[in-house]
Amino acid sequence: MPRPPTIAQQLASKQREISVAEFFERNRQILGFDNLPRAMLTTVKEAVDNSVDVCDEARIAPEISVEIAKEGEDRFRVAVTDNGPGILRREIPNVFARLLYGSRFHSNRQARGQQGIGISAAVLYANLTTARPVRIVSRVEEEDVAHVLELFIDTQKNQPRVVLDDVALPESAHGTKVELVLKAKYVRGRQSVLEYLRGTAIVNPHARLVLQEPDGTRVTFERATEELPAVPKETPPHPYGLELGELGSLLKASRQATVSEFLVKDLQGVSARAAKELLVAAGIPGATKPVAVQGDVQERLLAALRAAPLLAPSSEGLSPIGAMLIKRGLRNVLGTLRPDFFAPPVTRPAKVRGGFPFLVEVGLVYGGALPVDEPVQILRFANRVPLLFQQGACAITTAIGSVDWRRYGLEQKGGSGIPVGPALLLVHIASTKVPFTSEAKEAVAEDPEIDRELVLALQAAARHLRTHLSRASRREFAGEKFSIIQKILPKLAEKTSHLVGKPVPDLTPVVTRIMDVVHVETGLTQEAKTRRVPVTVTNYTPRPRVVELFLEVAPELFARATFAPEPDGTEPALGRAWWTLPKLPPNGRSELAVTFAAPCDVDADDLDWYVAGIDEARLLGADPLPGDWDVRLPRTVVEAAEAAEGAPAGAPGEEEVDYDAAEASAGVRDDD
Amino acid sequence: MPRPPTIAQQLASKQREISVAEFFERNRQILGFDNLPRAMLTTVKEAVDNSVDVCDEARIAPEISVEIAKEGEDRFRVAVTDNGPGILRREIPNVFARLLYGSRFHSNRQARGQQGIGISAAVLYANLTTARPVRIVSRVEEEDVAHVLELFIDTQKNQPRVVLDDVALPESAHGTKVELVLKAKYVRGRQSVLEYLRGTAIVNPHARLVLQEPDGTRVTFERATEELPAVPKETPPHPYGLELGELGSLLKASRQATVSEFLVKDLQGVSARAAKELLVAAGIPGATKPVAVQGDVQERLLAALRAAPLLAPSSEGLSPIGAMLIKRGLRNVLGTLRPDFFAPPVTRPAKVRGGFPFLVEVGLVYGGALPVDEPVQILRFANRVPLLFQQGACAITTAIGSVDWRRYGLEQKGGSGIPVGPALLLVHIASTKVPFTSEAKEAVAEDPEIDRELVLALQAAARHLRTHLSRASRREFAGEKFSIIQKILPKLAEKTSHLVGKPVPDLTPVVTRIMDVVHVETGLTQEAKTRRVPVTVTNYTPRPRVVELFLEVAPELFARATFAPEPDGTEPALGRAWWTLPKLPPNGRSELAVTFAAPCDVDADDLDWYVAGIDEARLLGADPLPGDWDVRLPRTVVEAAEAAEGAPAGAPGEEEVDYDAAEASAGVRDDD
């Protein structure tokens, strides 16, 4: 007679394999399907991200339409159509109805989708909530029909189940349409499909996005640029941060004949010379076969790699947004809020973590109609995808909270946490592998390397803000001076002259002495087809000035610009031009203009003006020329400028006018 | 000559399957391995959670030891040993070296591990960072040897690779030891292994936990109770919140002959009658085979199920901590902070979401040495496991922030966000399926049902706080009265009597009239083997009082209690006893005592005292008897009490003494 099963046996009998589809069906919140509005957003997001990715890979300017129709209480039909290259018939089932299957997971370059889960997750959720298949219509250029498939996911096996396999007349040269029926809710405002598409438009200005809302409303985000972003190159992993196990699998998989070739060809940043040296350091013969490097030898190799001074990781695998587009994107989204100040966007050099390169970009705007007494707005992006959920769990948020914004002019209780003020922060993390906190890809995990870069980028942007704010207060003060001088001085002079019975003196020296700034004023006039940016430079200093004026603008804008007068020098590739203005006497002014041909999307903020040879304290409306400009100034000019600065205060003939009295009575003081 | 591959073909050629192990190796941050200190914590956590789970299933009081030894820079050996039932040799490889394999995923009852990922994830991480196998030593009672295995995970296949398979002489009757070498960091303080174990001890007082730190320090958490928690029963899914797809698979998998049997036996909460009615409503013949219910019929069935008035979900699948243990756990962890107030812990009834039952428990303490000007401390737990990370992303945090704590006596900027004050909140979510935001199981996902329960539980606890605070201020006021009366009145009386040359009057009526409270004072005296709680009841009211005193204490403590005098009634099952005290004249007092036999873990806070027949405003040191006590009071007593309350203010003989003068000069006022 058999003995009853022991506890261990009972427990063993319950042990079972779990299919990844079962797992995610049960834990769909992990994939971003925890509630109805979010289910809607995640579904659209996964489909659109795929479309943009595949268009970028195929060098096609993305043209994506999202149609959402209500099919009943809590039930919607979502259709996303792209003009991508299409998908081969044989791949369609796996791509859409099998989790952990994809083309980008094993590649080492920046992409929106990297997990091979996204769209299948949406299909899984649709199957689960409405028991309806996903419908795919796709055409590849080389075939003259479109394939139509309807699919379920067999969750027990995590395999596609094809319920319709047909062909149809193609509606376009190439492209794919995904159609799902799911339980969801369509919302507007925060964390909505619209907000996601707007965010996508900000950081993907080369894409055209059209949304058809359930009530029939059509929203279109037109392209902001015709040029496609450079395709990130496939790059081998960089040794820094590589784990022992990863090095092991790389060695095992290597096709190189020797370990030294492996180091140079299968890894990034290792020069032949570095390889030689570190192999010596590790005591490994260069001719060793890669597979033969195991155990302690492997550990020694890794140690040597970590110690070696290697080349920085290449950023070829990355596709940053770039200063120009960040600025323009922000202007797009801010529209009527009209901020006073767009900080020059910051793009940090590429760094590496766990063998994967990454870089951080930050944009900051301030003022205008942005709310003064609310936390600053935060726009988070990862690999050009907006992150709308889990802000509290995101490394970006932590980094922002760890900066002491009080030092840069924002309110912040106790010097940590989200600061308060009329500002907006755009933060973009680009990486060949973004460490998301979950498959929903809504928050970036804490990581010391990333945190460091985030903080540096944020501080750089914050410094611009501080400069702006101090300059603004200086400008205000100068403004006061202006009015005081214009109102009071003439009266004062008249009165005193009348009293002492002398002719009214020339006030110019007083005015300039009190102001003591070179003022660069820019405007913007719009004609039918062009935009004109007039510039006036006035010398409100008591001495003659030779002003060297420099312009910087995005190269694509520069290409459409004409100048009057012609610049003394230009660097079109960098979008730079400069002028040496005729010597300006006190109160003297000089004018020039920049005219841009259509399309008329230029705005005074797109032009940055710099002045050389005059110290910052004496500049109004322009910044001193940054050090990184290696423009050669005519020696004479520099000397002239220096001379002007250097000359002893109070040249003969000035003392005669008693401006002190004037200042005193006017209650103004000299700034120096 | 072959044509070059088209873009679609190129893309297709890159499509590949991704093994779940590869996926998590690349996204280890998702599993809670994003940095070195966290890698250490997560590893210990997964091992210990498994051990407690398996001991509970086997009805063994858990005895778990965690040994951590430093093996080099950033490298540690972690060994977790339990006294569980052990694991059969044939199951060991899959349990420890294969992701998505386990015994609890498919079951529908509360468990710490529910995903089948945890411990294998730790093994994956160890393999990756140190290229060392995991070592398992396990013995099941029925075998006289222990099996020793060393395992790697083959990430490409997500399959175990056995590198050692041996037997050894067993060191214990049964149990399992897991030993890993991993790249990590050992920290103390916040988010440390120690904090995790302390939290585990709080909510698992039946477990004994021993930690050996790298520097040799030994920390032991002894059992706080000998009784094991009830094993949660396996329960069928509840229809509410079931998705169409889930219903479909249940119908498909059902072994029942008819759909009506399916409804009653395979689902929870559906009575035979309800089944009959809803099948009629859905227009489905009761005799239909479950598998035959498909398409529209299925949808109709689901709609009917959702509309039907079903029985609430059973909480048999759940294992709440319970008020007594929450209170005791909190006292443990708070130790020297000695809070003034432990709110009666709140345990909400079980609710259901997505077919899975869940319940919420909340404990709240206030005052003592808790910091006054910092955010309240939050202890989050899910299925008796402490949650230490991702507080910002957790539904518990959101719920706390959504309550307006200003209404309950805590500071809170703008009435939302984490409140500030000397308080600590313990929140426990128990469910047969906790919706975590990621596999790291550190935060609970937002969910309307859960949020609702959280808020209700928090508000209930908050109400207790408000009562306490108002009572405290009343007590303070009473305290002032005491001192004033004791100091000033006698002097005053003496002086006036002397002036008017009359004898000093009896002040009792004045004292009682001014105080007008019944005061219940408790103490605690400790003898070698016992603890004694003396109780003094004083009638500081101007009228004779019949006081009905009620005691409530945890049944397990009640069993060890002796009373002097004997209570007039008891309900041991509920831990209740009550006395009708002899009629107390004004200023009269009555005493009794409760003595507890060893173990001496009792403390005055464990005893709740209630008084009947006297309104709250006249009670000090005790609460009015809660409505839910259906104790029958002797009629006469009630009448007496009512009579006392009802008597018109100012009975004859009181007016003679001019206490108004006394009050006026003492600056006190009467409270009524």
Side-chain angles (χ1 to χ4, degrees):
Chain A
M1 159 183 142
R3 307 193 10 268
T6 65
I7 292 159
Q9 286 163 341
Q10 289 168 35
L11 294 177
S13 68
K14 294 194 207 131
Q15 296 287 0
R16 274 178 52 187
E17 180 182 4
I18 303 150
S19 115
V20 64
E22 278 182 303
F23 175 78
F24 283 121
E25 178 175 87
R26 214 179 175 194
N27 294 286
R28 48 192 174 270
Q29 76 285 347
I30 290 181
L31 300 173
F33 294 90
D34 23 10
N35 55 55
L36 296 184
R38 194 171 174 192
M40 171 67 78
L41 177 66
T42 304
T43 302
V44 172
K45 193 168 182 262
E46 298 296 356
V48 172
D49 289 350
N50 280 0
S51 294
V52 185
D53 262 338
V54 76
C55 286
D56 285 358
E57 282 173 36
R59 309 295 295 149
I60 299 168
E63 175 98 34
I64 299 163
S65 101
V66 178
E67 291 156 279
I68 302 173
K70 198 162 166 53
E71 288 230 329
E73 172 67 4
D74 286 351
R75 185 175 282 207
F76 291 82
R77 171 180 303 276
V78 175
V80 176
T81 313
D82 67 43
N83 61 338
I87 304 168
L88 293 188
R89 156 70 189 82
R90 68 162 198 274
E91 285 299 331
I92 292 174
N94 282 335
V95 167
F96 290 93
R98 180 171 173 189
L99 278 76
L100 291 181
Y101 186 92
S103 60
R104 295 177 202 101
F105 179 86
H106 296 90
S107 85
N108 188 31
R109 54 184 184 69
Q110 175 178 337
R112 291 160 186 82
Q114 300 178 328
Q115 301 186 328
I117 291 183
I119 190 63
S120 317
V123 173
L124 184 71
Y125 176 80
N127 289 176
L128 176 71
T129 52
T130 67
R132 302 274 282 276
V134 58
R135 181 183 174 88
I136 312 292
V137 182
S138 187
R139 186 207 176 169
V140 297
E141 205 157 14
E142 59 268 32
E143 293 186 23
D144 45 21
V145 296
H147 287 279
V148 182
L149 280 83
E150 292 191 354
L151 311 162
F152 283 100
I153 297 181
D154 177 334
T155 50
Q156 251 104 68
K157 300 202 198 76
N158 182 35
Q159 289 291 343
R161 185 155 60 81
V162 180
V163 290
L164 175 80
D165 186 349
D166 199 354
V167 293
L169 290 178
E171 292 170 358
S172 62
H174 50 77
T176 303
K177 179 180 188 178
V178 190
E179 206 173 350
L180 295 142
V181 179
L182 62 148
K183 187 174 168 187
K185 194 151 179 268
Y186 188 83
V187 297
R188 290 199 163 115
R190 248 190 100 249
Q191 302 183 325
S192 65
V193 169
L194 194 61
E195 188 192 359
Y196 158 73
L197 289 177
R198 179 176 293 116
T200 306
I202 293 176
V203 293
N204 299 280
H206 65 295
R208 181 171 187 273
L209 308 172
V210 181
L211 168 65
Q212 166 114 43
E213 295 185 296
D215 67 2
T217 315
R218 273 180 85 81
V219 187
T220 305
F221 297 93
E222 295 295 349
R223 291 195 176 83
T225 172
E226 291 303 320
E227 63 184 79
L228 303 180
V231 189
K233 277 222 197 82
E234 185 74 45
T235 54
H238 194 285
Y240 290 157
L242 212 56
E243 294 296 350
L244 198 52
E246 289 159 328
L247 178 61
S249 5
L250 287 173
L251 283 160
K252 218 161 129 196
S254 175
R255 291 214 190 76
Q256 309 301 337
T258 70
V259 63
S260 52
E261 281 171 26
F262 163 81
L263 291 173
V264 177
K265 296 185 184 152
D266 291 4
L267 295 181
Q268 193 192 135
V270 188
S271 67
R273 186 149 152 289
K276 194 175 222 161
E277 287 170 6
L278 68 88
L279 282 171
V280 172
I284 304 170
T288 318
K289 283 196 168 41
V291 283
V293 179
Q294 290 178 334
D296 302 357
V297 190
Q298 221 175 75
E299 295 204 28
R300 291 211 307 279
L301 179 58
L302 186 62
L305 273 168
R306 286 191 178 147
L310 305 177
L311 306 169
S314 121
S315 56
E316 286 181 323
L318 304 179
S319 153
I321 304 168
M324 183 60 202
L325 292 180
I326 288 179
K327 223 167 163 181
R328 194 177 292 181
L330 282 173
R331 199 156 35 241
N332 271 346
V333 74
L334 291 172
T336 60
L337 293 174
R338 300 226 138 287
D340 318 323
F341 174 64
F342 286 75
V346 178
T347 300
R348 295 279 310 162
K351 293 278 182 297
V352 70
R353 55 167 289 284
F356 302 102
F358 74 96
L359 64 75
V360 170
E361 299 181 288
V362 169
L364 182 156
V365 301
Y366 183 89
L370 286 164
V372 178
D373 51 3
E374 282 173 27
V376 301
Q377 290 178 47
I378 300 170
L379 300 179
R380 299 175 294 133
F381 296 89
N383 287 2
R384 296 181 168 235
V385 176
L387 310 180
L388 302 188
F389 287 88
Q390 305 250 337
Q391 178 168 309
C394 188
I396 291 176
T397 314
T398 317
I400 292 173
S402 72
V403 171
D404 184 347
W405 291 91
R406 297 172 305 182
R407 292 168 40 206
Y408 304 103
L410 292 177
E411 272 180 51
Q412 190 183 36
K413 204 184 171 205
S416 71
I418 304 303
V420 171
L424 178 145
L425 282 165
L426 177 153
V427 182
H428 179 226
I429 296 178
S431 175
T432 57
K433 202 207 91 190
V434 177
F436 289 109
T437 58
S438 86
E439 292 82 346
K441 296 183 286 179
E442 289 289 1
V444 178
E446 301 289 340
D447 174 275
E449 320 285 335
I450 292 181
D451 184 61
R452 192 168 159 287
E453 284 301 305
L454 282 168
V455 170
L456 287 173
L458 287 163
Q459 287 171 332
R463 278 193 295 277
H464 288 297
L465 175 61
R466 186 176 51 200
T467 319
H468 163 73
L469 292 176
S470 63
R471 197 173 291 143
S473 57
R474 219 166 55 239
R475 202 172 292 123
E476 225 169 77
F477 185 68
E480 284 168 21
K481 277 185 173 178
F482 266 121
S483 58
I484 289 161
I485 288 158
Q486 279 142 16
K487 288 198 209 83
I488 300 164
L489 274 193
K491 285 205 185 68
L492 208 73
E494 211 176 293
K495 200 158 191 163
T496 26
S497 336
H498 178 75
L499 281 172
V500 299
K502 281 190 180 175
V504 180
D506 168 18
L507 291 176
T508 312
V510 189
V511 174
T512 53
R513 177 64 184 273
I514 298 173
M515 286 304 301
D516 201 17
V517 292
V518 169
H519 190 193
V520 178
E521 252 178 318
T522 63
L524 179 70
T525 61
Q526 191 165 171
E527 279 103 42
K529 281 204 144 18
T530 66
R531 281 200 188 180
R532 189 161 171 285
V533 180
V535 187
T536 312
V537 183
T538 315
N539 172 19
Y540 288 114
T541 74
R543 302 182 192 75
R545 299 274 175 187
V546 172
V547 177
E548 277 266 333
L549 189 66
F550 300 82
L551 166 66
E552 185 167 37
V553 69
E556 56 186 289
L557 286 183
F558 192 93
R560 282 159 34 207
T562 53
F563 307 93
E566 278 306 317
D568 301 319
T570 62
E571 279 184 49
L574 296 172
R576 294 172 174 177
W578 56 90
W579 294 259
T580 308
L581 304 182
K583 190 166 194 164
L584 297 176
N587 267 10
R589 70 184 46 194
S590 165
E591 296 185 341
L592 54 84
V594 186
T595 311
F596 295 92
C600 291
D601 53 0
V602 188
D603 152 341
D605 289 316
D606 289 330
L607 291 73
D608 290 320
W609 295 98
Y610 303 105
V611 169
I614 297 176
D615 73 280
E616 180 161 9
R618 285 207 175 75
L619 274 179
L620 208 59
D623 295 341
L625 187 67
D628 58 356
W629 280 49
D630 55 353
V631 182
R632 185 171 296 99
L633 303 176
R635 235 179 136 285
T636 58
V637 173
V638 180
E639 276 166 354
E642 280 165 354
E645 291 300 322
E654 289 193 5
E655 305 309 326
E656 286 165 17
V657 180
D658 177 18
Y659 50 79
D660 292 334
E663 287 184 34
S665 61
V668 299
R669 54 182 183 70
D670 195 324
D671 222 354
D672 307 1
Chain B
M1 159 183 140
R3 303 190 17 267
T6 65
I7 292 159
Q9 286 163 340
Q10 289 169 33
L11 294 177
S13 68
K14 294 192 206 135
Q15 296 286 1
R16 271 180 53 189
E17 179 181 4
I18 303 150
S19 114
V20 64
E22 278 182 303
F23 175 78
F24 283 122
E25 179 175 86
R26 212 177 178 198
N27 295 286
R28 47 190 175 272
Q29 76 285 348
I30 291 180
L31 299 172
F33 295 90
D34 23 8
N35 55 56
L36 296 183
R38 194 171 175 192
M40 171 67 78
L41 176 65
T42 303
T43 302
V44 172
K45 194 169 184 260
E46 297 297 355
V48 172
D49 289 349
N50 279 1
S51 293
V52 184
D53 263 338
V54 76
C55 286
D56 285 358
E57 282 173 34
R59 307 298 292 151
I60 298 168
E63 176 98 35
I64 298 162
S65 101
V66 178
E67 291 157 279
I68 302 173
K70 198 161 166 52
E71 289 231 327
E73 172 66 3
D74 286 351
R75 184 175 282 208
F76 291 82
R77 173 181 303 276
V78 175
V80 176
T81 313
D82 67 41
N83 61 338
I87 305 169
L88 293 187
R89 157 66 190 84
R90 69 163 197 274
E91 284 299 331
I92 291 175
N94 283 335
V95 167
F96 290 94
R98 181 172 173 187
L99 278 75
L100 291 181
Y101 186 92
S103 60
R104 295 177 201 99
F105 179 84
H106 296 91
S107 86
N108 187 31
R109 55 184 185 70
Q110 176 179 336
R112 290 158 189 82
Q114 299 179 328
Q115 300 185 329
I117 290 182
I119 190 64
S120 317
V123 173
L124 184 72
Y125 175 80
N127 289 176
L128 176 71
T129 53
T130 67
R132 304 274 282 277
V134 59
R135 181 183 174 86
I136 312 293
V137 181
S138 187
R139 185 207 177 169
V140 297
E141 204 157 15
E142 58 269 32
E143 293 186 21
D144 45 22
V145 296
H147 287 279
V148 183
L149 278 84
E150 292 190 355
L151 311 163
F152 283 100
I153 297 182
D154 176 334
T155 49
Q156 251 104 67
K157 301 203 198 76
N158 182 33
Q159 289 290 341
R161 185 154 61 80
V162 180
V163 291
L164 175 80
D165 187 348
D166 198 354
V167 293
L169 289 178
E171 292 170 358
S172 63
H174 49 77
T176 304
K177 178 180 190 180
V178 190
E179 206 172 350
L180 295 143
V181 180
L182 62 149
K183 186 173 170 188
K185 193 152 181 265
Y186 189 83
V187 297
R188 290 198 164 116
R190 246 190 102 250
Q191 301 184 325
S192 64
V193 169
L194 194 61
E195 188 192 359
Y196 158 73
L197 288 176
R198 179 177 293 115
T200 306
I202 292 177
V203 293
N204 299 280
H206 65 296
R208 182 169 185 275
L209 308 172
V210 181
L211 168 66
Q212 166 115 42
E213 294 184 297
D215 66 4
T217 315
R218 272 179 85 82
V219 186
T220 305
F221 296 93
E222 295 294 349
R223 291 196 177 83
T225 171
E226 292 303 319
E227 61 183 80
L228 302 179
V231 188
K233 277 223 196 82
E234 186 72 45
T235 54
H238 194 285
Y240 289 157
L242 213 57
E243 295 296 350
L244 197 53
E246 289 159 331
L247 177 61
S249 5
L250 287 172
L251 283 160
K252 218 162 128 197
S254 174
R255 291 215 190 76
Q256 310 301 337
T258 70
V259 62
S260 50
E261 281 171 24
F262 163 81
L263 290 173
V264 177
K265 295 182 184 155
D266 291 4
L267 295 181
Q268 193 192 137
V270 187
S271 67
R273 188 149 151 285
K276 194 175 225 160
E277 286 170 5
L278 69 88
L279 282 171
V280 172
I284 305 170
T288 318
K289 282 194 166 42
V291 283
V293 179
Q294 291 177 334
D296 302 355
V297 190
Q298 223 175 72
E299 295 204 29
R300 291 210 307 278
L301 179 58
L302 186 62
L305 273 167
R306 287 193 177 146
L310 306 176
L311 307 169
S314 121
S315 57
E316 286 181 322
L318 304 179
S319 155
I321 304 167
M324 182 60 199
L325 291 180
I326 288 179
K327 222 168 162 180
R328 193 176 291 181
L330 282 173
R331 196 151 43 242
N332 271 345
V333 72
L334 290 172
T336 59
L337 292 175
R338 301 224 138 286
D340 319 324
F341 175 64
F342 286 76
V346 179
T347 300
R348 295 279 309 163
K351 293 279 184 295
V352 69
R353 53 166 290 285
F356 303 101
F358 74 95
L359 64 74
V360 170
E361 299 181 286
V362 169
L364 183 156
V365 302
Y366 182 90
L370 285 165
V372 178
D373 51 4
E374 282 172 26
V376 302
Q377 291 177 46
I378 301 171
L379 300 179
R380 298 175 295 134
F381 297 90
N383 286 3
R384 296 181 168 232
V385 176
L387 310 181
L388 302 187
F389 288 88
Q390 306 251 337
Q391 178 167 310
C394 187
I396 291 175
T397 314
T398 317
I400 292 173
S402 72
V403 171
D404 184 347
W405 291 92
R406 297 172 304 182
R407 292 168 40 205
Y408 303 105
L410 292 177
E411 273 180 51
Q412 191 182 34
K413 203 184 174 205
S416 72
I418 305 303
V420 170
L424 179 146
L425 282 165
L426 177 153
V427 182
H428 179 226
I429 296 179
S431 176
T432 57
K433 201 206 89 189
V434 178
F436 290 109
T437 58
S438 86
E439 292 83 346
K441 295 182 285 179
E442 289 290 1
V444 178
E446 302 288 340
D447 175 277
E449 320 285 334
I450 292 180
D451 183 61
R452 193 168 159 288
E453 284 301 305
L454 281 167
V455 170
L456 287 172
L458 287 163
Q459 286 171 333
R463 278 193 296 276
H464 287 298
L465 174 61
R466 187 176 49 201
T467 319
H468 163 73
L469 291 176
S470 62
R471 197 174 289 141
S473 58
R474 218 168 56 241
R475 201 174 291 122
E476 222 170 80
F477 185 69
E480 284 168 21
K481 277 185 171 177
F482 266 122
S483 57
I484 289 162
I485 288 158
Q486 277 142 17
K487 288 198 207 81
I488 300 164
L489 274 193
K491 285 204 183 69
L492 208 73
E494 210 175 296
K495 198 157 193 159
T496 27
S497 336
H498 178 75
L499 281 172
V500 299
K502 284 190 178 174
V504 180
D506 169 17
L507 290 176
T508 313
V510 189
V511 174
T512 53
R513 176 64 183 274
I514 297 174
M515 285 305 301
D516 200 16
V517 293
V518 169
H519 190 194
V520 178
E521 253 179 317
T522 63
L524 178 70
T525 61
Q526 191 166 169
E527 280 101 42
K529 280 204 145 20
T530 65
R531 282 199 188 180
R532 188 161 171 285
V533 180
V535 186
T536 311
V537 182
T538 315
N539 171 18
Y540 288 113
T541 74
R543 302 182 191 75
R545 299 275 177 186
V546 173
V547 177
E548 277 267 334
L549 188 67
F550 300 82
L551 166 67
E552 184 168 38
V553 68
E556 57 186 286
L557 286 183
F558 191 95
R560 285 160 31 208
T562 55
F563 307 94
E566 278 307 319
D568 302 320
T570 62
E571 282 185 46
L574 295 171
R576 294 171 173 177
W578 56 89
W579 295 260
T580 307
L581 304 182
K583 191 167 193 165
L584 296 176
N587 268 8
R589 69 184 48 193
S590 166
E591 297 185 342
L592 53 83
V594 186
T595 310
F596 295 92
C600 290
D601 54 1
V602 188
D603 158 334
D605 288 316
D606 288 331
L607 291 73
D608 290 318
W609 295 97
Y610 303 104
V611 169
I614 296 177
D615 72 284
E616 181 159 11
R618 284 208 176 75
L619 274 179
L620 207 59
D623 295 340
L625 187 67
D628 60 356
W629 280 50
D630 56 354
V631 183
R632 185 170 297 97
L633 302 175
R635 237 181 130 285
T636 57
V637 174
V638 181
E639 277 166 352
E642 279 165 354
E645 289 303 319
E654 289 192 3
E655 305 309 325
E656 287 164 17
V657 180
D658 177 21
Y659 51 79
D660 292 333
E663 288 185 34
S665 61
V668 299
R669 53 179 183 70
D670 196 324
D671 221 355
D672 306 2

